[in-house]
């Protein structure tokens, strides 16, 4: 729509918006469908000349638009892939993934409105399509009286698609967000840290034990918090050699970050002792439960799963990561990442 000089609408509503602003608090994210940027629409309204707060329905009407294609609202969805505009989707709720470490943090605090108006917080996530270029943002709000204000400067009477331009409502084309590809961590950045737990016996080749091995990502000397971890299969068993009478294997299960629930593979034999439990949750790291036993004869369990487990993790920024965890050949109880 071509902009013209300010014009007045044919009727003056009792309720009207008198001021708008748009704050982009975080201008960069990873295009992983989970990480978000936060933006805040600021709106002042008056009724019969008196300042009034927005009603719940007016707040719910606020939606983001593509400033350069303002008839297109950014669709609301829980994930970008469900429905999106140029790879972008909007949310009303923060999903708790950390913001991009390089994202700018601008604007006023939402707890201290600068002139008594209302802030409406909105969020954006992105998929790979958003890598094509930045998105210039605006927003719309519709009053309970049906008047609609769009921050590329246009005001619409109830039921009308033809708006009048007013610079008062133009927040400008500089409110941009952009996406970049998610980080993919190298195998060397996956770190296993073993912590000794229950032990019985002094000889390493027959010691019974239940140890914790934490799984983390260390990038540039900084530990990257993990939000989830799944292993497929859930566990594995390992004998140090292929002799049929070898009876001192180790087996594994796993727990997600922040959880004490251990997931086991029922096809992994456990011997006469019960599986261990995890008494304390470990936040920000995955857990491999490493169990050593001395009564599980190899020849009796030829079909037990022994291959490395495929590990899928989601980091603090919402990006999915992958690796494999398996045993080191020729050693009884040493795990490695590949």
């Amino acid at each position: 729509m071509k902009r013209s000089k300010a014009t007045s609408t044919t009727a003056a509503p009792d309720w009207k918006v008198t001021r708008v602003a748009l704050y982009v608090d975080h201008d960069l994210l990873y295009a992983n469908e989970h990480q978000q940027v936060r933006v805040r629409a600021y709106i002042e309204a008056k009724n019969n000349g008196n300042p009034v707060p927005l009603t719940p329905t007016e707040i719910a009407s606020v939606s983001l638009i593509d400033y350069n294609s303002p008839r297109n609202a950014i669709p609301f969805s829980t994930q970008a892939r469900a429905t999106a505009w140029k790879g972008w989707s909007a949310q009303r709720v923060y999903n708790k993934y950390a913001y991009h470490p390089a994202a700018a943090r601008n604007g006023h605090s939402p707890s201290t409105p600068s002139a008594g108006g209302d802030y409406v917080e909105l969020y954006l996530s992105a998929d790979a399509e958003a890598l094509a270029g930045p998105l210039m943002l605006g927003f719309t709000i519709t009053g309970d009286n049906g008047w609609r204000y769009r921050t590329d400067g246009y005001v619409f009477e109830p039921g009308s698609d033809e708006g009048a331009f007013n610079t008062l409502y133009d927040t400008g084309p500089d409110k941009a967000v952009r996406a970049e590809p998610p980080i993919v961590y190298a195998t060397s950045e996956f770190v296993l840290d073993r912590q000794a737990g229950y032990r019985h016996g002094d000889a390493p080749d027959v010691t019974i034990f239940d140890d914790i091995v934490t799984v983390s990502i260390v990038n540039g000397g900084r530990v990257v918090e993990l939000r989830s971890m799944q292993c497929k299969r859930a566990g594995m068993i390992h004998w140090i050699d292929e002799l049929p009478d070898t009876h001192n294997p180790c087996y594994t299960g796993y727990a997600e970050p922040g959880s004490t629930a251990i997931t086991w593979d029922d096809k992994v034999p456990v011997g006469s002792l019960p599986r261990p439990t995890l008494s304390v949750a470990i936040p920000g790291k995955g857990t491999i439960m490493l169990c050593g036993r001395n009564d599980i004869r190899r020849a009796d369990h030829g079909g037990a799963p022994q291959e490395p487990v495929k590990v899928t993790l989601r980091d603090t920024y919402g990006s999915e990561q992958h690796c494999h965890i398996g045993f080191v050949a020729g050693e009884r109880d040493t795990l490695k990442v590949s």
Side-chain angles (χ1 to χ4, degrees):
M1 184 180 294
K2 183 179 180 181
R3 288 175 172 76
S4 60
K5 65 181 181 179
T7 58
S8 61
T9 51
T10 59
D14 294 334
W15 179 94
K16 64 180 178 179
V17 170
T18 57
R19 183 185 173 192
V20 293
L22 182 61
Y23 300 103
V24 178
D25 293 334
H26 310 92
D27 59 2
L28 177 65
L29 53 60
Y30 292 124
N32 60 22
E33 305 179 33
H34 296 278
Q35 190 179 47
Q36 297 166 301
V37 293
R38 185 182 70 182
V39 299
R40 287 174 294 127
Y42 178 72
I43 301 132
E44 294 177 23
K46 289 184 178 181
N47 191 38
N48 291 318
N50 298 312
V52 290
L54 300 179
T55 66
T57 53
E58 288 165 348
I59 291 173
S61 77
V62 176
S63 62
L64 295 169
I65 61 171
D66 181 342
Y67 184 91
N68 292 327
S69 185
R71 293 184 182 274
N72 292 287
I74 311 303
F76 284 98
S77 62
T78 55
Q79 285 189 332
R81 184 174 293 167
T83 179
W85 169 255
K86 297 182 179 179
W88 295 90
S89 67
Q91 299 85 34
R92 297 191 186 276
V93 178
Y94 177 42
N95 63 18
K96 307 299 184 183
Y97 286 104
Y99 294 115
H100 193 292
R105 289 165 175 80
N106 304 314
H108 302 286
S109 167
S111 63
T112 56
S114 59
D118 288 280
Y119 281 101
V120 179
E121 290 190 5
L122 297 169
Y123 301 87
L124 288 164
S125 59
D127 63 25
E129 187 181 357
L131 297 172
L135 175 69
M136 312 305 175
L137 291 172
F139 69 89
T140 64
I141 176 172
T142 302
D144 288 344
N145 62 358
W147 283 74
R148 180 163 56 96
Y149 297 80
R150 200 173 70 192
T151 66
D152 64 333
Y154 283 88
V155 182
F156 300 84
E157 294 184 27
S160 175
D161 288 329
E162 295 297 324
F165 181 73
N166 189 327
T167 56
L168 179 67
Y169 305 111
D170 189 352
T171 54
D174 59 337
K175 310 303 187 294
V177 291
R178 59 189 177 91
E180 68 178 24
I183 291 177
V184 177
Y185 298 103
T187 299
S188 60
E189 294 177 295
F190 293 85
V191 176
L192 303 179
D193 182 24
R194 184 170 173 177
Q195 304 169 18
Y198 166 79
R199 290 181 174 274
H200 176 73
D202 297 325
D205 61 337
V206 293
T207 298
I208 298 171
F209 62 84
D210 297 317
D211 288 354
I212 290 172
V213 180
T214 61
V215 182
S216 61
I217 296 173
V218 179
N219 175 252
R222 179 178 58 90
V223 177
V224 178
E225 181 180 339
L226 299 180
R227 296 299 181 87
S228 66
M229 183 180 86
Q230 291 86 37
C231 295
K232 187 179 179 180
R233 309 178 59 115
M236 57 189 162
I237 190 168
H238 169 74
W239 288 270
I240 194 171
D241 56 41
E242 297 185 4
L243 298 175
D245 290 330
T246 300
H247 60 277
N248 58 341
C250 295
Y251 68 86
T252 67
Y254 78 93
E256 295 214 37
S259 174
T260 58
I262 304 174
T263 303
W264 304 98
D265 190 319
D266 289 336
K267 293 188 176 181
V268 172
V270 299
S272 60
L273 295 177
R275 292 166 173 162
T277 59
L278 188 60
S279 59
V280 178
I282 302 175
K285 297 181 179 181
T287 298
I288 299 292
M289 185 61 72
L290 177 63
C291 307
R293 297 293 185 263
N294 62 11
D295 62 348
I296 308 174
R297 185 170 173 267
R298 181 185 178 93
D300 297 333
H301 303 283
Q306 302 178 54
E307 63 277 4
V309 295
K310 180 180 179 181
V311 185
T312 300
L313 311 103
R314 196 170 300 282
D315 66 23
T316 189
Y317 305 116
S319 298
E320 192 170 275
Q321 310 294 333
H322 300 276
C323 68
H324 288 81
I325 295 177
F327 285 92
V328 174
E331 298 186 26
R332 182 194 181 205
D333 57 357
T334 304
L335 294 172
K336 67 174 182 178
V337 177
S338 60

